[in-house]
Amino acid sequence: MTQHLDPALASAAPGGVLVVDFGAQYAQLIARRIRECRVFSAVIPHDMPADEIKALEPMGLVLSGGPSSVYAPDAPGLDAEYLRLGIPVLGICYGMQAMVQALGGEVARTGASEFGKTELNVLSRAGLLRDLPAETCWMSHNDSVVRAPDGFVVSAQTAGAPVAAMEHRETGMYGVQFHPEVVHTPFGTDLLKAFLFDACDCTPTWTPVHVIEDQVARIRAQVGDEKVICALSGGVDSAVAALLVHRAVGDRLTCIFVDHGLLRQGEADQVEEAFGEHFHVPLIHVKAQDHFLSQLAGVTDPETKRKIIGREFIRTFERESGTLGGVRFLVQGTLYSDVIESGSKHADKIKSHHNVGGLPDDMTVELVEPLRQLFKDEVRVVGAELGLPERMVWRQPFPGPGLAIRIIGEVTAERLEILRRADFVLQEEVRRAGLYRELWQSFAVLPAVKSVGVQGDERTYAYPIVIRAVTSDDAMTADWARLPYDLLERVSSRIINEVPGVNRVALDITSKPPGTIEWE
Ligand code: XMP
């Protein structure tokens, strides 16, 4: 049976380490951490047949955590064959408990759950915990391993976990109850490196650029001889996705750039220049500003705005693809963080990001999403390698619904113009201050209130602009950026002097959580 084998995985996996997904939100994070150590890694489902894994020739396996107890009736089972493949295996949290059960140790609900930062007592520094000081680690468990299987050395424990780390070096079996993949386990990367380079004997030669070959193979397999269209948004994600697909299928790709009129200043021109003129990708530029504005007239509810924009986007694509004659595939630059935020099995839905959750149910095209397993910084490396202009590679993330979700209340042509001009000033000053790349996002927001001011001896009654700037690694959490006062002063006075209709500038100092990055 070869149901899971796809050509991209088959070409990339030899020499890498595969992460078996037992349903943890962290499975992709583990794979990312391994890739950061320059070893290929991808997530595979826990029901993949062992002979298929063997055919992929990985150097090792990591069994991810999972939300269930090993005793739960619907607990995802570990195929014991995985432990007989002759390659090292590292079980993390639930993965370790499943390993312990399969090898004859004991897992129990002791009542001593541990969540968050936990003191770790290292008992043996011979194996994976070599050279590591006794440290804190990050725990999240109810059940505990109370007896390691025969032959294992218990190398660490905590107050609530008698077996917090265990290893059997001769057979290459390792387990940790804590999470080495999260930043709150300070020595986590060292532990993963010890597994990759000492236990598995991997060579650190992989870079995100390898994604190009993998995805080109995967895209060719998915689309065959069919025609493909790509939703270009102006941002780095859809641009990189488009260039990957262009490399895979050449002129069978047509990019459709819907200018919904909700973009930042100059953005539409830059897309036209990069794709049409530089890469010679067939490009249809749909100028639909008036249509979107009319659809948004009178709408103030954030989710309704998103749904309308998502719907109109897709309808426009469908119309345009009709003119191309029988297009079956639509490329989107969906990233891993978009998938999580739009509510996967284990994450609550926060907002319906229009490139995922806002798609209409009756959509008639199949999606091609070559970046779905990547994080933003990995996408940028791939984009640079593909020759995308630096200005686009380093463009800060910009939401699909664009300025519509940064205008609180109704979106009108007048309010769009105000926000666009204010945002332009902010971007220019942030770049001048050399801070653009350091910030995850920096942008202006236009609230739905007016306040009184005085300009040139005259009373004004006009909009405020709110400055929002955040630092983040992956948009899942974010901190408000401590922008220098002199920068804020320049931005404030320039916005008020240069943007008619604004008489006040405020600064948003909310982190995520409790705020979200965008205001809607
Ligand atoms: P929030 O506001 O949820 O945003 O903290 C997290 C990240 O996602 C971006 N974002 C979107 N991206 N379609 C997108 O493609 C959307 O509907 C959308 N909403 C938010 C946001 O800019 C931030 O980077």
Side-chain angles (χ1 to χ4, degrees), residues 306 341 351-355 397 399-401 405 440-441 475 512 516-518:
R306 282 168 188 277
E341 291 262 304
K351 296 175 184 178
S352 48
H353 286 191
H354 103 237
N355 52 359
I405 58 167
W440 176 264
Q441 277 170 289
K512 173 184 179 177
T516 51
I517 295 176
E518 303 291 345

Side-chain angles (χ1 to χ4, degrees), residues 257-280:
F257 173 47
V258 175
D259 185 353
H260 53 20
L262 307 167
L263 296 172
R264 292 167 290 191
Q265 198 158 306
E267 236 162 14
D269 295 341
Q270 285 168 24
V271 171
E272 183 115 47
E273 210 177 282
F275 278 79
E277 293 166 27
H278 182 62
F279 288 110
H280 306 293

Side-chain angles (χ1 to χ4, degrees), residues 13-55:
V17 167
L18 298 173
V19 179
V20 180
D21 183 4
F22 283 106
Q25 192 165 304
Y26 288 141
Q28 283 293 351
L29 189 58
I30 301 170
R32 179 214 172 115
R33 294 280 176 253
I34 296 174
R35 296 198 296 260
E36 279 172 3
C37 299
R38 304 189 58 201
V39 171
F40 172 77
S41 185
V43 174
I44 56 171
H46 73 270
D47 59 354
M48 187 168 187
D51 57 347
E52 285 190 16
I53 296 182
K54 197 178 170 80

Side-chain angles (χ1 to χ4, degrees), residues 8-18 31 34-35 37-43 196 202-203 205-207 210-211 214 218 373:
L9 196 55
S11 69
V17 167
L18 298 173
I34 296 174
R35 296 198 296 260
C37 299
R38 304 189 58 201
V39 171
F40 172 77
S41 185
V43 174
L196 298 174
C202 292
T203 320
T205 50
W206 187 87
T207 71
H210 289 82
V211 167
D214 303 343
R218 191 186 292 254
Q373 297 210 336

Side-chain angles (χ1 to χ4, degrees), residues 236 380 384 387-395 431 436-437:
V236 60
R380 289 201 163 116
L388 198 65
E390 201 175 302
R391 215 180 159 82
M392 288 185 85
V393 168
W394 285 100
R395 182 165 286 171
R431 279 183 201 275
Y436 187 80
R437 283 194 193 185

